[in-house]
Amino acid sequence: MSFVCRFAPSPNGPLHLGHAFSALVNHRAAEVSGGRFLVRIEDVDTERARPEFEAGILTDLDWLGCPPSEPPIRQSDRLADYAAALARLEAEGLVYPAFETRAEIARAVIQRDLAKAWPRDPDGTPIYPFRRQEISDEERARRRESGAPYVLRLDMARAVGRVGTLYWQEAQGNPLGRPVSVTADPLGWGDVVVARKDAPASYHLASVLDDAAQGVTHVIRGRDLFQATSIHRLLQELLGLPAPVYHHHRLILDIDGKKLAKSSGARSLATFRGTGATPDDIRRLINLPPRNSRAEQDQERQDAEGSPA
Ligand code: GLU
């Protein structure tokens, strides 16, 4: 089977070793399966997205030896599709506008924590502390018309009630590995945001719509997004989208054992390049064999032996 894979960076900073690993693993999976490697610029957060970072991403991918098979797509060009999907969810009563500020949410969580530990989502963030029923649909509509800022939230209990238990296929060990069924648990996320104040989508909604629009067959990304896949499977089901196979790969950690992040100043690929590092040096740093080496082919043979025919 030829895989359609994608690398989906946000253009809000330079790529680091963690991105290099993800891009190279996606590119290789597409290459060995005779498929395509797509790039998607996740610039739905317009406040933080910068064109110079987008240009830097493409330069880095070329340099690493994993250029996209086609010109990249940008989320900012797809807002009409996101709006149409939201309209559909809203017509089915599955999303609602919520008006609380971050500070109001934080205060409510503290109050609830004082009574009894308030539940956290799988990322450790307190789940949304209010309930849809606290404000009538008419009152929400009135506030929205009056121009009050709002996000759209998924009514998680109702959405899950609509589709029942869901599963996804997770390739084991490597992207070509044998997939096993994983039970999705979207309820643990609470009423997640599906449209931000400033855009007709959140990461979750945009990414499932884009994966479907790009015909992605295999979503290969870091383990930090494993649990979020529960939300993605739910949105796919609600919107009648196909479910790709997933593979959540290991994360590249810094010397303190923490995940590399732009926000904590991880060294950029451009900095490595500027100090004379080669693409094979980068591969060594992230524990990938040199490109086209015997070690790379051996690794793939072993991987393929564990995969379905
Ligand atoms: N833009 C997301 C990130 O950089 C991509 C997540 C995904 O691959 O689904 O983390």
Side-chain angles (χ1 to χ4, degrees):
M1 175 191 185
S2 34
F3 288 18
V4 180
C5 303
R6 88 317 191 258
F7 174 59
S10 308
N12 56 16
L15 299 188
H16 54 57
L17 292 175
H19 297 110
F21 182 74
S22 205
L24 286 166
V25 169
N26 268 286
H27 181 265
R28 192 66 181 160
E31 188 174 67
V32 295
S33 67
R36 285 177 298 140
F37 170 63
L38 308 179
V39 170
R40 172 163 85 229
I41 303 295
E42 298 214 323
D43 60 352
V44 79
D45 181 354
T46 45
E47 266 170 43
R48 293 171 64 212
R50 297 268 179 282
E52 60 271 27
F53 290 131
E54 182 181 324
I57 288 167
L58 299 176
T59 305
D60 287 345
L61 295 179
D62 269 347
W63 177 70
L64 280 173
C66 55
S69 318
E70 297 168 15
I73 69 159
R74 263 188 223 104
Q75 291 191 325
S76 54
D77 292 331
R78 298 199 8 87
L79 302 184
D81 272 40
Y82 307 151
L86 283 168
R88 177 166 163 190
L89 293 174
E90 198 163 9
E92 293 180 32
L94 296 172
V95 301
Y96 62 93
F99 303 88
E100 297 85 7
T101 61
R102 274 171 204 271
E104 283 165 345
I105 291 176
R107 265 199 305 278
V109 168
I110 292 170
Q111 277 163 5
R112 284 160 179 64
D113 266 342
L114 288 175
K116 180 169 175 270
W118 184 249
R120 267 54 182 170
D121 72 20
D123 281 350
T125 305
I127 66 168
Y128 179 61
F130 300 104
R131 285 169 357 116
R132 180 180 186 172
Q133 297 75 1
E134 288 168 30
I135 301 176
S136 69
D137 285 353
E138 295 71 36
E139 172 62 11
R140 289 185 192 275
R142 197 196 57 70
R143 285 198 208 172
R144 192 179 190 174
E145 272 151 38
S146 76
Y150 64 92
V151 299
L152 289 176
R153 288 187 178 271
L154 186 66
D155 184 332
M156 189 57 88
R158 194 177 281 188
V160 169
R162 182 75 55 90
V163 298
T165 307
L166 296 173
Y167 305 87
W168 81 80
Q169 297 297 309
E170 175 79 20
Q172 295 296 290
N174 66 78
L176 306 179
R178 189 180 295 279
V180 298
S181 256
V182 178
T183 308
D185 180 19
L187 281 173
W189 287 95
D191 287 2
V192 289
V193 172
V194 285
R196 303 156 48 91
K197 284 198 172 92
D198 54 355
S202 65
Y203 154 67
H204 300 303
L205 182 73
S207 89
V208 298
L209 288 166
D210 294 344
D211 286 337
Q214 293 190 284
V216 171
T217 61
H218 288 72
V219 172
I220 302 167
R221 58 186 180 191
R223 288 203 67 81
D224 52 333
L225 289 164
F226 184 87
Q227 303 284 356
T229 307
S230 290
I231 305 171
H232 301 170
R233 267 303 287 128
L234 174 61
L235 289 171
Q236 285 155 0
E237 206 63 20
L238 294 173
L239 292 164
L241 305 173
V245 174
Y246 288 85
H247 174 70
H248 292 93
H249 58 63
R250 64 181 166 91
L251 297 178
I252 305 298
L253 304 178
D254 66 17
I255 50 171
D256 300 326
K258 290 205 218 62
K259 182 193 151 206
L260 290 182
K262 292 168 194 160
S263 51
S264 55
R267 185 178 304 169
S268 69
L269 297 180
T271 305
F272 280 109
R273 185 161 65 243
T275 52
T278 65
D280 272 340
D281 292 330
I282 301 294
R283 296 177 72 98
R284 198 166 36 250
L285 287 168
I286 53 183
N287 220 351
L288 285 176
R291 183 144 172 79
N292 298 324
S293 63
R294 183 66 190 273
E296 187 180 44
Q297 284 154 18
D298 286 351
Q299 180 70 56
E300 265 148 27
R301 224 184 347 267
Q302 278 171 22
D303 290 352
E305 276 161 17
S307 75

